[in-house]
Amino acid sequence: MAKTMIAAQLYTVRDFMKTPEDMAKSLMKVKEIGYDAVQLSGNGPISDKELKKLCDDAGLIIAATHVGFEEIQNEPEKVIEQHNIFECPHVAIGGLPGEYRGAEGYAKFAKIASEAVKKLYDAGFDFSYHNHSFELEKFGDRTGLQILYEESDPKYFLSEIDTYWIQHGGGDPAAWIKKLKGRAKLTHFKDMAIKGGQQRFAEVGEGNINWTAVLDACKYAGTEWMIVEQDVCYERDPFDSLAISLKNIKSWGIN
């Protein structure tokens, strides 16, 4: 795992990323916790150059982003310019646009996206798809997620497997990461706990996901970035949750 790095998904602290002043303070906190990289998502309005400067000032690499697929499809030059400013090679989307959520839609999106992201690829960037659990609904003998990856071009359509959402949908996170060997440059590290009979987001290492299997899968698949995210922090400040997750990951021998 020597080449794998750890990043914080800023969606975790989105409530503290509303203004440029908030962003500056929050990015410094993320750095003080011990992260050296972030994934951009959920921040308030700010220019790309100003956001990059705030990350630089905090000593944080922009490892990846989440952008809207419409931007990629309709304004690829803008997305390329933005990621050149960020010095960030990994472009991802946060989920499947609603109009494609059906048996035919998954296959259609796989082909449309594979074609749309070629301009990004030619400019030196790659594209990854971030899943939730709805993609694990079956259509015939295949899940939506299977359709996406089997019908897309593996050269252009990469993965950002979210461990929580795969488990939430009844899947095996490690098996999915392994299945996508060579396409799994980004992986969302997100744990699942049970409380009162309900599934809950948890700090990495504090829930029930089989992290030994996930780490082995990431090594096998060639994961470059383990991106820590927690959608909801029920019992503590989100920065404290990010700190607990990082401490646990480092205790597994990953630095």
Side-chain angles (χ1 to χ4, degrees), residues 195 200 203 233-237 241:
K195 189 165 184 178
R200 289 165 57 106
E203 291 78 12
C233 303
Y234 302 94
E235 298 161 358
R236 55 182 59 88
D237 182 276
S241 291

Side-chain angles (χ1 to χ4, degrees), residues 6-13 17 27 30 35-43 51 55 60-67 83 86 88 90-94 128-130 159-162 186-190 225-229:
I6 306 167
Q9 171 41 303
L10 294 178
Y11 185 78
T12 308
V13 295
M17 295 283 292
L27 291 167
V30 169
Y35 290 91
D36 294 319
V38 293
Q39 180 175 32
L40 300 180
S41 180
N43 56 271
L51 182 52
C55 289
L60 292 166
I61 296 166
I62 300 175
T65 62
H66 271 180
V67 302
H83 287 75
F86 291 155
C88 171
H90 303 301
V91 183
I93 61 170
S128 296
Y129 177 85
H130 171 267
S159 71
E160 185 176 52
I161 289 296
D162 185 301
L186 311 177
T187 298
H188 268 194
F189 273 41
K190 188 186 299 182
W225 287 101
M226 296 182 285
I227 303 173
V228 176
E229 182 181 31

Side-chain angles (χ1 to χ4, degrees), residues 44 54 66 93 117 125 127 133 161 166 195 212 224 237-238 243:
L54 291 181
H66 271 180
I93 61 170
V117 303
F125 305 98
F127 166 84
S133 57
I161 289 296
I166 291 290
K195 189 165 184 178
T212 298
E224 295 178 12
D237 182 276

Side-chain angles (χ1 to χ4, degrees), residues 188-199:
H188 268 194
F189 273 41
K190 188 186 299 182
D191 215 336
M192 177 187 286
I194 296 293
K195 189 165 184 178
Q198 299 297 314
Q199 297 164 321

Side-chain angles (χ1 to χ4, degrees), residues 20 30-31 49 62 68 71 95 98 109 113 119 132 175 178 181 238:
V30 169
K31 178 65 175 181
K49 289 182 179 178
I62 300 175
E71 292 179 68
F109 181 79
K119 289 184 178 179
H132 292 85
K178 282 186 175 180
K181 180 179 182 180

Side-chain angles (χ1 to χ4, degrees), residues 128-140:
S128 296
Y129 177 85
H130 171 267
N131 67 275
H132 292 85
S133 57
F134 66 82
E135 297 96 333
L136 292 178
E137 179 180 350
K138 280 197 168 182
F139 300 92

Side-chain angles (χ1 to χ4, degrees), residues 110-127:
K111 291 177 171 55
I112 288 173
S114 295
E115 187 64 31
V117 303
K118 286 180 179 179
K119 289 184 178 179
L120 303 187
Y121 183 88
D122 290 343
F125 305 98
D126 56 41
F127 166 84

